[in-house]
Amino acid sequence: LAPHRDLGTKRRRRFRVSAASAMLGDYLTALLVAVLGYIYPVYLCFKALEKHKRKPEALRGWCIYWVVIALYTVGAQIADRFVFWLPMYCEAKVAFVTYLWHPRTQGALYIYDTFVAPFLAKHEPDIDRRIDETRASVGDAVVRNSRGVVDFVRNKMTNLLLSVPQANGDGRGSEARYMGARNATEAAATAYTRVPPKPRSD
C-alpha cells in the first residue's frame, strides 16, 4: 500500500504545482497584455498627439490601433472562456498585442484595412439603423418607467401624509379635510395647521 500512497501523493503535488503555474501564467499574461497592449501604446499615443498637434491626419494610425485593440479585447473575453486550453495561448495573446503596434509589423493597420473597415463599411447602414432603433426603444422605456415611478412615489407620499393626523391625535373629521387637498403639499400644510381643540368647561 505504501507505493500507492506515494504515487497518490506525487500526483497531488504535481497537480498543485501545475495549477499554481497556470495561475501564475494567467497573471503574468494579464500583466504583459496590460503593459504592452495598453500602457505603453498610451504613452506612444501621447507622444504622437503632442508632436502632431497641427497634423491630425498623422494620428490616423493610432485611432486605428485603438479600434482594433477594442475589438481584440471583446474577442479575448470570449476566447478566454473556450480556447484557454490551447498550447501557447497566453504567449500568443502577448505576441498579438505587440504585433498590433510594433513599427515593423503595424498589424493594426493591416487588420483594419483588410478586415475591419470593409466589414463595417458594408454593414454601416444596418448598424446605424439598429443603433437608432435601440436608442429610441430604450428612451421610450426610460420615459415610461420614470413616469410610473414618479406616480408611485407621489401616491405613497400622499397616503403617508394623510395618515399622519390619525396617528398623532384625535382625527375625527380630519380625513375629509385632507382628502380635499389637491396635492401632497396642501395635505402637509393642512396637517400642521389644525385648529387646536377648545378646552372643556366644567
Side-chain angles (χ1 to χ4, degrees):
L1 296 175
H4 293 287
R5 292 179 181 175
D6 295 340
L7 182 60
T9 303
K10 290 181 180 179
R11 287 179 177 176
R12 286 194 295 270
R13 290 178 180 175
R14 188 178 304 170
F15 175 77
R16 292 173 182 172
V17 171
S18 61
S21 300
M23 186 177 299
L24 181 61
D26 292 340
Y27 288 143
L28 183 60
T29 300
L31 177 62
L32 291 176
V33 169
V35 173
L36 297 178
Y38 297 91
I39 298 177
Y40 185 60
V42 162
Y43 179 68
L44 295 180
C45 186
F46 161 75
K47 292 175 70 69
L49 287 171
E50 294 300 316
K51 183 178 180 180
H52 302 289
K53 289 183 176 180
R54 299 183 180 180
K55 296 179 180 179
E57 65 277 1
L59 303 175
R60 180 177 181 271
W62 281 114
C63 292
I64 290 175
Y65 171 81
W66 291 115
V67 169
V68 176
I69 198 68
L71 295 175
Y72 157 79
T73 303
V74 175
Q77 293 293 325
I78 299 174
D80 289 345
R81 305 297 192 276
F82 299 101
V83 296
F84 62 91
W85 50 267
L86 290 176
M88 305 293 290
Y89 174 70
C90 295
E91 291 80 358
K93 292 171 64 176
V94 176
F96 181 75
V97 296
T98 306
Y99 158 80
L100 291 179
W101 60 262
H102 200 278
R104 293 186 178 180
T105 56
Q106 296 185 344
L109 298 178
Y110 172 76
I111 293 175
Y112 180 84
D113 293 334
T114 306
F115 302 103
V116 178
F119 177 83
L120 293 179
K122 180 180 179 181
H123 298 87
E124 185 176 4
D126 295 334
I127 295 174
D128 291 339
R129 178 174 54 81
R130 292 183 180 275
I131 291 175
D132 293 337
E133 292 176 354
T134 303
R135 185 183 303 165
S137 60
V138 170
D140 293 341
V142 169
V143 172
R144 184 170 57 253
N145 293 330
S146 62
R147 290 176 179 173
V149 171
V150 171
D151 293 339
F152 175 79
V153 173
R154 183 183 300 165
N155 293 333
K156 287 296 183 181
M157 290 298 296
T158 302
N159 294 334
L160 178 62
L161 292 172
L162 292 175
S163 65
V164 169
Q166 298 177 1
N168 290 338
D170 184 11
R172 290 177 296 177
S174 61
E175 182 176 358
R177 267 200 330 269
Y178 299 124
M179 290 299 294
R182 291 176 297 180
N183 51 44
T185 304
E186 288 189 5
T190 305
Y192 290 97
T193 56
R194 291 178 298 165
V195 178
K198 296 180 180 180
R200 292 181 301 175
S201 58
D202 295 335

